[in-house]
Amino acid sequence: MIKEDRRKMVEMQGVYKFFGTLKALNNVSLDIYDGEKVVIVGPSGSGKSTLLRSINKLEEIDAGSIIVDGFEINDPATNINKVREEVGMVFQQFNVFPHKSVLENLTLAQIVVRKRSKAEALEIARKLLKKVGILDKADNKPHKLSGGQQQRVAIARALAMQPKLMLFDEPTSALDPEMIGEVLDVMVTLAKEGMTMIVVTHEMGFAREVADRVIFMDEGRILETGTPEHFFSNPQHERTKQFMSQIL
Amino acid sequence: MAEIKPKPKASEQPKKVTIDIGDGVAIPSKEDVGLFTAWRVAFFGAIGIIVFLALFKPDPYLKIMRFVPDGILVTFQVTVESILLALVLGLFTGLGRVSKNRFINGIASLYVEVIRGIPLLVQLFYIYFALGRIVKLPPITSAVFAMAICYGAYMGEIFRAGITSIPPGQTEAARSLGMTSSQSMYHVILPQAFKTILPPVGNEFVALLKDSSLVSILAVSDLLRRGREFASETFTYFETYTTVALVYLIITLFLSKLISIMEERIND
C-alpha cells in the first residue's frame, strides 16, 4: 500500500496544540509520502482542521515537530513563505479575493510571490481555468459565480503556484448539494494526476475513490488509520464505528 | 454523505459593513426619507435665502458675498491639505493599531489616545506655539499640521475598523499562497478595506471642513476669518455671520450629497 522508499512530504512528530486548556492536537505523529492521498475524517472539534492548518503554519503548534518538504516549519530560521509556496490550500469558505477578477485571483500570487511575468502567469491561469471548467468566467468578479465555481477558482488559484502538496479543509462543506460533485470531480482528476493531497472531508465516496489512507481523528488524537475499505467494512474502535454509522 | 454539523452556506451574503462615525454631517440616503427631504429643504432653502438676500438686500449681503470667496478658497485649501496628510497618518496609525508588534501597536495606540483626549482648538494653539519655538512656520502650515495630526488619529481608527472588517480567511488565503504579511496587506486586505472606509472618510472630510473654521484663530484668512474682518469694519455682525453660516451649510450639504452618491456607486 505505502511504499516506504518514497520521499516523505510531511513528517509530524509528537505534535501538541492547545486552545486554552483544550487539547486540539494531542501527541499527533503522522507521515505523508510523496504522491499519497490521505483523507482525514472525524467528528466536529476532533482537531482535523487544526492538524491540516498546522502543516502550513496557519496554526502554530505548542510542541512537537513538523517537517514539510524537508523544512522544519517551526524553526525560526525557516522562511515559512517559501514553504507555503509549495503547499496549496483550499478552504471551506473558498476565500477567493472578491476585489479581483477570476483571472487576477489566479495571477496575483504567481506574479507577487513566484515573480513570474504577467504573460506567463496569465497563460498558466487560463490553462488551469480551462482544466477546472470555468474559463468562460475568467473576467468575472467572484461574486457573480456560484459557490461551486468559486471553490473551483480557489483550487485553480492554489494550483497556479504549482505546489508539491495540496491541503483541502472541508472543501465541499459550505456548498449546496448540487455543487459538491463538480468540486469533487476536479479533486479526483487532480488525485489521478499524482498530486500529494491531504483532504479533510466527510465525502466517503471521494475517500473510497482516491484515498490511499483514511485517518480517523477524535479529541485531538489519531485513533485509527487504514484503507477506505477498512473503514467501510470493519472499523476497530467503538468511536470510529459510531462515527461511520453517522456519516454513511 | 451526510454532514456532521450544519455549516454556514457560503452563498449567504455576508452582512454589509458600515462604519458609523458620527462627527461629520448626516449623509442623506434614499432609504431615510426624513433625512432625504430635510436635505432638500435645507440645501435649496439655503440657496434660496442667499439669492433672495443678494437680490433684495444687496447692501450689505452682496458686499459680504463679494468679500468672503477668498476665504472659501483658503478653507478648501486647509481642508484638502489636512485630509491628505491625515489619510497618510491614518493609514500608518491603522496599520500600527492592527500590528502584532507590541512596540508599534503601543505607539499608534498612544497617539490615538492622546490626540483624542485633547480638544482640537487646544491642539491648534499648542502646535502653532510649540512649533513656533523651533521653526517659524506660516500660520496656514501650522494649521494644516495641527488639523492633520488631530484627524490622523480619528482616521487611524477608521482604517483599523476597515482592516479588521475584512474576514480573516482573506489573510489566510493570501498567506497560504506564500505572500508575506505586507504583501497580503497591500494586495488583498487594503484594497478591500478602502471600499469600506470610503464613506466614513468622506464623512471625516466634511467634519474637517467644519472644524477648519477653528484655524481662523491662527490668523489664517479662511471663510470665518474673512467674515470677521468684514464684520468688524462694517459692524454688520448679524448679516455677516448669517451669510457665513449659510455658505458653510451649502458647502457641507453639497459635499454630503456627493459622498452619498459616491457610496451608492461603490455599493453597486
Side-chain angles (χ1 to χ4, degrees):
Chain A
M1 176 183 67
I2 301 157
K3 297 188 197 105
E4 296 295 337
D5 57 331
R6 277 196 292 187
R7 199 176 77 100
K8 285 176 185 170
M9 182 59 78
V10 180
E11 292 179 72
M12 301 179 86
Q13 267 308 322
V15 172
Y16 287 86
K17 169 73 185 178
F18 302 93
F19 290 121
T21 54
L22 177 85
K23 278 184 186 166
L25 293 179
N26 188 358
N27 194 13
V28 170
S29 297
L30 173 68
D31 290 343
I32 310 276
Y33 292 86
D34 223 354
E36 207 184 0
K37 292 105 186 81
V38 175
V39 166
I40 304 175
V41 295
S44 145
S46 59
K48 48 196 195 310
S49 279
T50 309
L51 185 149
L52 199 72
R53 290 161 57 86
S54 69
I55 294 172
N56 67 351
K57 216 182 175 185
L58 285 184
E59 298 291 353
E60 292 202 34
I61 59 170
D62 293 306
S65 123
I66 301 177
I67 296 170
V68 179
D69 193 24
F71 295 95
E72 167 54 68
I73 59 166
N74 296 297
D75 180 348
T78 301
N79 181 353
I80 188 63
N81 298 318
K82 283 284 161 212
V83 180
R84 283 173 177 157
E85 284 180 32
E86 310 297 337
V87 181
M89 187 161 199
V90 175
F91 301 85
Q92 184 184 338
Q93 297 296 340
F94 329 143
N95 297 340
V96 287
F97 303 137
H99 60 301
K100 302 229 173 250
S101 73
V102 167
L103 212 48
E104 288 166 343
N105 262 275
L106 269 68
T107 55
L108 178 64
Q110 291 191 66
I111 294 167
V112 172
V113 179
R114 283 273 196 231
K115 310 286 178 204
R116 289 181 187 146
S117 71
K118 197 174 176 199
E120 192 188 355
L122 279 172
E123 197 191 316
I124 292 170
R126 290 218 175 83
K127 215 178 275 174
L128 283 165
L129 285 178
K130 193 171 173 204
K131 183 173 169 181
V132 300
I134 35 177
L135 187 56
D136 55 324
K137 306 279 183 192
D139 298 317
N140 286 47
K141 284 280 170 68
H143 68 91
K144 303 264 188 203
L145 275 62
S146 71
Q149 290 170 330
Q150 288 191 38
Q151 191 61 301
R152 285 185 280 155
V153 170
I155 294 173
R157 176 179 67 181
L159 291 176
M161 295 295 285
Q162 288 159 337
K164 296 175 182 164
L165 165 67
M166 283 287 286
L167 309 174
F168 292 85
D169 190 2
E170 305 206 31
T172 56
S173 297
L175 291 174
D176 292 327
E178 72 272 18
M179 292 170 185
I180 292 176
E182 62 193 59
V183 172
L184 289 181
D185 285 348
V186 170
M187 290 167 63
V188 169
T189 309
L190 194 59
K192 296 206 163 135
E193 287 170 358
M195 176 64 77
T196 313
M197 292 164 73
I198 309 175
V199 184
V200 171
T201 186
H202 294 137
E203 299 291 339
M204 291 310 288
F206 171 80
R208 184 175 238 165
E209 191 170 351
V210 305
D212 299 309
R213 250 196 304 172
V214 175
I215 288 169
F216 177 73
M217 285 189 74
D218 191 39
E219 293 177 340
R221 292 168 187 273
I222 294 177
L223 213 58
E224 196 163 344
T225 304
T227 61
E229 289 317 316
H230 163 84
F231 277 85
F232 281 110
S233 48
N234 62 338
Q236 297 300 301
H237 282 266
E238 207 46 52
R239 288 288 293 149
T240 320
K241 285 178 196 162
Q242 198 188 340
F243 177 78
M244 289 302 291
S245 71
Q246 276 172 344
I247 64 166
L248 288 176
Chain B
M1 290 292 277
E3 279 181 22
I4 295 305
K5 54 181 171 177
K7 294 275 164 57
K9 292 267 183 290
S11 52
E12 283 169 23
Q13 287 296 313
K15 272 187 203 155
K16 203 176 86 185
V17 185
T18 46
I19 304 163
D20 272 325
I21 306 277
D23 48 359
V25 287
I27 309 283
S29 81
K30 288 214 171 84
E31 289 111 63
D32 190 341
V33 181
L35 208 54
F36 193 62
T37 319
W39 182 88
R40 284 192 191 168
V41 171
F43 185 69
F44 294 108
I47 288 178
I49 293 170
I50 285 243
V51 171
F52 176 85
L53 290 172
L55 286 177
F56 295 98
K57 218 167 176 299
D59 186 24
Y61 286 104
L62 199 57
K63 282 186 186 165
I64 300 168
M65 285 169 212
R66 289 216 175 109
F67 192 79
V68 296
D70 296 356
I72 298 177
L73 284 183
V74 173
T75 291
F76 269 107
Q77 187 196 341
V78 170
T79 307
V80 170
E81 288 176 7
S82 306
I83 203 92
L84 290 178
L85 209 52
L87 275 172
V88 176
L89 274 173
L91 172 62
F92 284 107
T93 309
L95 288 173
R97 292 271 286 141
V98 297
S99 169
K100 287 198 184 103
N101 181 318
R102 277 199 178 172
F103 179 72
I104 294 173
N105 197 318
I107 299 268
S109 304
L110 191 65
Y111 164 59
V112 172
E113 283 303 317
V114 168
I115 293 298
R116 294 211 300 186
I118 301 172
L120 175 55
L121 187 54
V122 178
Q123 288 180 43
L124 276 172
F125 278 133
Y126 187 81
I127 288 174
Y128 185 58
F129 293 108
L131 276 180
R133 302 185 99 178
I134 311 160
V135 276
K136 197 74 201 138
L137 289 172
I140 195 159
T141 314
S142 307
V144 166
F145 273 129
M147 302 281 295
I149 289 169
C150 175
Y151 271 79
Y154 292 93
M155 221 57 107
E157 287 303 276
I158 293 174
F159 271 95
R160 185 191 58 77
I163 290 167
T164 52
S165 75
I166 306 303
Q170 290 290 309
T171 307
E172 289 184 352
R175 296 305 303 274
S176 76
L177 288 163
M179 289 189 212
T180 63
S181 60
S182 10
Q183 283 170 337
S184 71
M185 184 57 80
Y186 180 76
H187 291 287
V188 176
I189 304 305
L190 284 180
Q192 295 183 61
F194 276 127
K195 212 173 138 176
T196 318
I197 66 171
L198 254 168
V201 163
N203 205 359
E204 288 297 289
F205 182 83
V206 177
L208 198 151
L209 187 135
K210 291 190 296 173
D211 278 350
S212 76
S213 60
L214 290 170
V215 306
S216 59
I217 297 274
L218 303 184
V220 175
S221 296
D222 74 330
L223 174 56
L224 179 59
R225 178 92 182 182
R226 289 292 281 173
R228 231 167 73 190
E229 286 166 10
F230 187 88
S232 58
E233 273 172 36
T234 58
F235 303 104
T236 52
Y237 289 100
F238 174 77
E239 293 82 351
T240 308
Y241 289 127
T242 302
T243 312
V244 167
L246 284 170
V247 171
Y248 271 116
L249 184 62
I250 290 168
I251 293 173
T252 53
L253 287 174
F254 177 73
L255 286 174
S256 68
K257 187 72 183 173
L258 271 187
I259 294 163
S260 80
I261 292 170
M262 184 187 75
E263 201 175 342
E264 274 168 30
R265 290 248 173 100
I266 291 171
N267 286 331
D268 279 346

